[in-house]
Amino acid sequence: MHIPDGILPGSVCAAGYVAAGAATALSLAVVRRQADPHQVVPKASTLTAVFFVASWIHVPIPPASVHLVLNGLLGVVLGPFAFLAILVGLFFQAVLFQHGGLTTLGVNATLMGVPALAVGALFGLGARLWVRSSRWAAVFGFAGGSLATVLSALGFAVVLVATVPAALDPSLRTTGVTALTLAHLPLAAVEGVFTAMVVLFLRKVQPDLLHGWRR
Amino acid sequence: MAPVIDLDRYSGLDSPVHRLEPRSRLLGFAALIASFAVVHNPVLLAPMLGLAAAAVVASHLPWEFIVRRLRAPMVLVLVLGVVLVLASGGEVLVRLGPLAIHADGLGQVGVIAAKLAAIGAVALVLFGTAPLPTTVVAMRRLGLPSLIADMIVFSFRAFHQIGVDLRTMRTAAGMRGVRWQNRHPGAPSRLGTLARMVGSLFVLSNARAEQVHQAMLLRGYSGDAPLGPPRPVGPASAAFVVLAVAIAVGLVVAEWQLGVAG
């Protein structure tokens, strides 16, 4: 789910950077309200590296395999740090492995990071209100993982199909959005199950790693 | 599973690009990359590719390194290209049974591939001619918030160890009978194993991060590590920035003029 360089018009790339800049400023403002945000930096950085490394894992879904997006899981674990972590992770993927791109970094970060922030806020709220039982933790974990994937896939489909092929038949654009989103539904289900499993594991082993779990 | 990180393997070479002051190199190449993103007119593709090739030649980076790294995104563009060539409207170039190859789609694929190659090559020159921490310090001097700069540097340092941890966990799971290949049944249980592995990575890495943070505090870390005096910008670096920005502005103006004329 990365748009490479060269595909989007310059104006869309610029708009992506403006949106990512706004989301970054918002995240930094929320993070800086913490007593000492730099105390959280080593943890957030290490978890960013885990996110980056874990996205190399190919999950076997016979007869093929998929690699996970994990933006929902990052929202669940890092809360307001999730956008910054995704921004840094995508920067590395663009610079170190040419997955995604530098000119499309703003668009990619916005489309993956904003759903992660939304999921983080939802999970944090759920953790404060209901999610302490394992059943609710699984429900919120699944909802977070799958919702973030669906929102990102929908965003990518709209951006790609609406901006790339100027000569594309208009009816094909609608079909394209629908097809791209539907194609991601199995991945969203896998992401939801995977996120729920990780949430249940962390709830049992180290619950204070989950966003909103700390009292 | 974990790819090798070798972006800065040629950062020790001696070339005019390597000798540029880091902020100047960042500003100049960033301006070129931004202008390449704006280019769409086919007339400007040849100059754009020529500029990218000149940057690669001036940096002394091997062409094999550039081509190998651009292969994966090019494959993605080719997949998109097939859709564009077959589904675009306009003049039909060739008919192959039920399939029609459209001129508009073919032109768009060419533009996209050229932009990807030029932007990718210049980005590799930018980040491949200095160690990543040097470029991050330059970004911080140019206004990147220290919190994000710290996250980039700490994450970069953690990659290798986490990759090793993941490989060890996979080997251990394999020795306990977990089979990763798709021809083996039991995909759902493998998903559970992978989830526990990623959960364990979070726990293990968080514990390591706590230790690193304690060690950093003992060494006086307070979040805003001093950067030290910047390297002076020499005449060659200043000239490079002026030239790169002038070329970038020229490309954007030319694109606009050609759009108006067209």
Side-chain angles (χ1 to χ4, degrees):
Chain A
M1 241 196 268
H2 308 204
I3 303 176
D5 286 318
I7 290 187
L8 298 179
S11 55
V12 178
C13 296
Y17 267 102
V18 170
T24 303
L26 177 72
S27 297
L28 285 174
V30 173
V31 162
R32 281 177 178 146
R33 265 191 284 161
Q34 297 182 3
D36 180 9
H38 284 283
Q39 192 176 349
V40 194
V41 165
K43 173 189 162 188
S45 310
T46 313
L47 297 187
T48 301
V50 173
F51 154 72
F52 181 70
V53 171
S55 66
W56 293 331
I57 296 175
H58 281 74
V59 177
I61 310 290
S65 67
V66 293
H67 90 87
L68 298 173
V69 183
L70 298 179
N71 57 339
L73 179 60
L74 217 57
V76 163
V77 174
L78 285 179
F81 262 101
F83 188 89
L84 303 177
I86 285 172
L87 184 69
V88 170
L90 291 176
F91 169 76
F92 280 127
Q93 290 190 336
V95 167
L96 298 178
F97 302 114
Q98 288 69 53
H99 294 172
L102 279 181
T103 60
T104 52
L105 180 62
V107 173
N108 288 334
T110 303
L111 294 178
M112 285 179 69
V114 171
L117 280 181
V119 162
L122 181 75
F123 192 84
L125 185 69
R128 279 183 206 98
L129 298 179
W130 317 287
V131 94
R132 302 276 163 167
S133 73
S134 60
R135 183 182 302 167
W136 279 109
V139 167
F140 270 81
F142 178 84
S146 52
L147 185 68
T149 309
V150 168
L151 289 177
S152 294
L154 194 61
F156 276 109
V158 169
V159 168
L160 269 180
V161 180
T163 61
V164 181
L168 201 65
D169 183 346
S171 66
L172 277 175
R173 293 181 186 220
T174 315
T175 313
V177 172
T178 313
L180 268 173
T181 311
L182 288 178
H184 278 89
L185 285 182
L187 176 63
V190 173
E191 289 266 350
V193 171
F194 188 82
T195 305
M197 286 172 162
V198 176
V199 165
L200 288 175
F201 176 86
L202 292 177
R203 179 183 172 274
K204 196 181 287 182
V205 176
Q206 195 169 351
D208 64 341
L209 268 178
L210 296 168
H211 172 58
W213 210 278
R214 300 168 284 278
R215 287 192 185 278
Chain B
M1 175 186 292
V4 178
I5 297 174
D6 64 347
L7 177 71
D8 54 4
R9 65 189 288 194
Y10 298 110
S11 63
L13 298 179
D14 183 28
S15 78
V17 178
H18 286 78
R19 287 193 291 272
L20 289 172
E21 189 273 330
R23 286 170 300 172
S24 311
R25 182 172 45 226
L26 187 59
L27 276 177
F29 284 126
L32 283 178
I33 288 171
S35 69
F36 291 175
V38 174
V39 166
H40 195 77
N41 197 298
V43 174
L44 297 175
L45 296 185
M48 181 181 73
L49 287 169
L51 285 166
V56 174
V57 170
S59 71
H60 297 179
L61 293 179
W63 280 103
E64 177 274 332
F65 171 74
I66 304 285
V67 171
R68 177 166 50 83
R69 288 191 158 264
L70 292 181
R71 207 180 294 148
M74 276 297 180
V75 170
L76 202 69
V77 166
L78 283 179
V79 172
L80 177 72
V82 170
V83 176
L84 283 177
V85 166
L86 297 178
S88 298
E91 183 195 346
V92 175
L93 280 182
V94 185
R95 276 200 184 280
L96 302 168
L99 303 177
I101 294 179
H102 296 268
D104 283 353
L106 206 57
Q108 285 195 1
V109 174
V111 171
I112 289 172
K115 286 174 70 171
L116 174 68
I119 293 171
V122 173
L124 283 169
V125 170
L126 168 58
F127 289 101
T129 49
L132 190 68
T134 304
T135 309
V136 174
V137 168
M139 289 161 80
R140 201 180 145 194
R141 287 191 200 283
L142 291 171
L144 182 74
S146 63
L147 200 138
I148 297 180
D150 283 352
M151 281 182 73
I152 293 175
V153 173
F154 291 145
S155 305
F156 187 63
R157 285 179 185 159
F159 285 151
H160 177 70
Q161 186 56 51
I162 292 170
V164 170
D165 289 343
L166 184 62
R167 209 162 30 241
T168 306
M169 286 180 189
R170 272 181 74 100
T171 306
M175 291 179 76
R176 290 191 193 110
V178 176
R179 293 289 172 265
W180 303 103
Q181 292 83 2
N182 278 331
R183 63 178 180 274
H184 292 283
S189 64
R190 273 176 279 162
L191 191 63
T193 306
L194 283 173
R196 285 190 291 278
M197 274 169 53
V198 170
S200 300
L201 275 182
F202 274 124
V203 172
L204 192 65
S205 305
N206 185 58
R208 197 177 289 129
E210 298 274 348
Q211 290 173 355
V212 169
H213 183 236
Q214 294 298 327
M216 286 162 57
L217 288 179
L218 285 172
R219 288 179 197 143
Y221 172 75
S222 62
D224 283 311
L227 292 172
R231 210 179 105 187
V233 179
S237 295
F240 167 72
V241 174
V242 171
L243 184 67
V245 171
I247 291 172
V249 172
L251 273 176
V252 174
V253 170
E255 171 71 28
W256 179 68
Q257 291 281 356
L258 288 167
V260 170

